[in-house]
């Protein structure tokens, strides 16, 4: 996945509020943007109100949508540093290719997890140019200082823990919860859960009070912590909660993210998570010059150049 903002500006912790340290209810509208030609997505993180939820630092909700021949996802080769990309597939198929040589089709109910570490390149394309359907959540996880320069890696998880609770089907995407642990390899204390109500449901979900949490409806309406939630809004819940009330009158699907508040200052720009503007400028020069970063073979989509860094420099000067 890629941040396709034409003129991205740097994002630092100084620009956003910290975790309040207690339960809150903040309804934050997602921003509609375009990921590739004709593919509209809702960007729920980062926003002006919230930059991160634990180590989760980026969240796009793509679809659900039907696309015609030659359309769908066309995200050409692009680089990442300092993060993990995390794709949760709900409907449709996407073909992942990367500079490590992996070529992996992801199907509904599966997770692709790519650790960029010191640098990796990947592309994501809909399959065969045929008409299809797409519904997915695509996320980034910021790597902590001790792990952000590690060797790149890729994992595909076709099976994840599934827990049924009072009629609610919970898929554990990342972390540990409800007595289960996801196989996804992560480097910060965090959790990700898909909550799927196939009909009328009312239950409570145990939480870690040390984590901050947020919820995003992927389809349908659900009541989360007493607040009606529909697609297009991120509900930030703060921390200090031991449990979460969840209810739905009909089919609904909600993504619940949580994590220990990320203690380190990061700088996000385009597809990079770093600590200083100098690191981002170096990575941008290396990518645009064709040095250092590897090659992705087989993607039909064009290589993506990095945007101009003027916006990053302007914000850096302004903060100083």
């Amino acid at each position: 996945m890629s941040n396709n903002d034409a003129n991205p500006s740097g994002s630092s912790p100084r620009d956003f509020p910290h975790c309040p340290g207690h339960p809150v209810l903040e309804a934050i509208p997602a921003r509609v943007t375009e990921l590739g030609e004709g593919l509209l997505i809702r960007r729920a993180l980062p926003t002006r109100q919230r930059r991160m939820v634990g180590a989760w630092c980026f969240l796009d909700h793509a679809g659900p949508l039907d696309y015609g021949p030659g359309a769908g996802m066309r995200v050409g080769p692009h680089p990442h540093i300092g993060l993990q990309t995390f794709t949760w597939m709900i409907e449709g198929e996407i073909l992942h290719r990367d500079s490590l040589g992996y070529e992996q089709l992801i199907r509904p109910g599966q997770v692709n997890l790519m650790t960029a570490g010191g640098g990796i390149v990947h592309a994501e394309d809909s399959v065969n140019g045929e008409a299809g359907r797409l519904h997915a959540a695509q996320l980034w996880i910021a790597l902590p200082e001790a792990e952000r320069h590690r060797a790149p890696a890729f994992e595909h998880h076709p099976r994840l823990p599934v827990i049924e609770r009072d009629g609610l089907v919970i898929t554990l995407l990342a972390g540990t919860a409800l007595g289960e642990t996801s196989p996804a390899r992560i480097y910060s204390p965090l959790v990700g859960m898909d909550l799927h109500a196939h009909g009328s449901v009312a239950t409570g979900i145990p939480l870690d009070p040390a984590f901050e949490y947020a919820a995003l409806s992927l389809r349908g309406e659900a009541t989360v912590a007493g607040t009606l939630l529909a697609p297009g809004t991120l509900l930030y819940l703060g921390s200090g909660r031991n449990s979460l009330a969840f209810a739905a009158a009909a089919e609904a699907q909600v993504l619940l993210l949580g994590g220990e508040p990320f203690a380190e200052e990061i700088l996000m720009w385009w597809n990079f998570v770093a600590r200083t503007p100098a690191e981002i400028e170096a990575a941008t020069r290396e990518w645009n010059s064709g040095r250092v970063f590897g090659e992705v073979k087989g993607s039909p989509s064009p290589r993506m150049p990095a945007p101009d860094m003027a916006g990053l420099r302007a914000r850096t000067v302004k903060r100083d």
Side-chain angles (χ1 to χ4, degrees), residues 32-102:
V32 177
T33 187
E34 189 173 10
L35 184 66
E37 186 177 350
L39 177 57
L40 296 180
I41 58 95
R42 302 180 183 97
R43 181 153 297 162
L45 286 176
T47 67
R48 292 183 179 180
Q49 294 92 333
R50 287 288 156 194
R51 159 185 140 269
M52 300 176 74
V53 177
W56 301 101
C57 61
F58 184 94
L59 169 55
D60 275 358
H61 177 204
L65 60 85
D66 295 297
Y67 57 86
M73 183 168 285
R74 291 285 180 264
V75 182
H78 59 280
H80 289 288
I81 62 169
L83 56 85
Q84 293 178 288
T85 67
F86 191 103
T87 301
W88 167 233
M89 203 69 198
I90 302 164
E91 296 179 86
E93 298 178 340
I94 296 174
L95 186 57
H96 161 98
R97 298 179 178 93
D98 65 40
S99 52
L100 298 178
Y102 287 98

Side-chain angles (χ1 to χ4, degrees), residues 232-250:
T233 298
L234 180 75
L235 182 63
Y236 178 72
L237 299 161
S239 62
R241 296 178 184 269
N242 292 298
S243 65
L244 182 69
F246 180 95

Side-chain angles (χ1 to χ4, degrees), residues 71-243:
M73 183 168 285
R74 291 285 180 264
V75 182
H78 59 280
H80 289 288
I81 62 169
L83 56 85
Q84 293 178 288
T85 67
F86 191 103
T87 301
W88 167 233
M89 203 69 198
I90 302 164
E91 296 179 86
E93 298 178 340
I94 296 174
L95 186 57
H96 161 98
R97 298 179 178 93
D98 65 40
S99 52
L100 298 178
Y102 287 98
E103 184 171 304
Q104 178 64 57
L105 185 65
I106 181 172
R107 295 186 169 96
Q110 301 180 349
V111 160
N112 275 356
L113 176 63
M114 186 181 74
T115 301
I120 198 169
V121 184
H122 75 144
E124 292 173 303
D125 297 286
S126 294
V127 184
N128 297 329
E130 301 173 356
R133 186 165 174 83
L134 176 65
H135 191 192
Q138 297 197 302
L139 305 105
W140 296 352
I141 303 169
L143 288 170
E145 179 63 34
E147 305 290 348
R148 70 188 184 98
H149 297 296
R150 67 180 299 111
F154 176 79
E155 302 172 13
H156 173 69
H157 297 289
R159 288 175 295 278
L160 298 159
V162 176
I163 307 107
E164 292 194 21
R165 187 179 182 88
D166 300 326
L168 181 66
V169 179
I170 302 171
T171 303
L172 182 60
L173 308 180
T176 298
L178 299 162
E180 299 283 351
T181 298
S182 166
R185 190 177 309 177
I186 53 176
Y187 299 94
S188 295
L190 56 77
V191 70
M193 289 182 264
D194 179 274
L195 314 177
H196 194 169
H198 293 274
S200 180
V201 165
T203 190
I205 302 166
L207 300 183
D208 185 336
F211 283 12
E212 58 180 335
Y213 289 89
L216 179 76
S217 176
L218 301 173
R219 74 173 108 206
E221 293 184 341
T223 300
V224 177
T227 301
L228 187 64
L229 187 61
T233 298
L234 180 75
L235 182 63
Y236 178 72
L237 299 161
S239 62
R241 296 178 184 269
N242 292 298
S243 65

Side-chain angles (χ1 to χ4, degrees), residues 7-23:
N7 297 292
S9 57
S11 164
S12 105
R14 302 179 220 179
D15 303 323
F16 302 87
H18 294 291
C19 173
H22 55 80

Side-chain angles (χ1 to χ4, degrees), residues 247-268:
E251 184 175 15
Q253 191 169 4
V254 171
L255 181 64
L256 179 64
L257 302 177
E260 190 175 283
F262 201 72
E264 301 174 21
E265 289 201 357
I266 67 170
L267 184 62
M268 288 178 56

Side-chain angles (χ1 to χ4, degrees), residues 3 5 7-16 46-47 51 266-270 272 274 276-277 280 308-316 319:
N3 178 3
D5 285 348
N7 297 292
S9 57
S11 164
S12 105
R14 302 179 220 179
D15 303 323
F16 302 87
T47 67
R51 159 185 140 269
I266 67 170
L267 184 62
M268 288 178 56
W269 184 84
W270 193 44
F272 303 139
T276 67
I280 289 177
D308 184 81
M309 291 181 289
L312 173 66
R313 296 192 188 99
R315 288 178 63 81
T316 304
R319 283 199 301 270

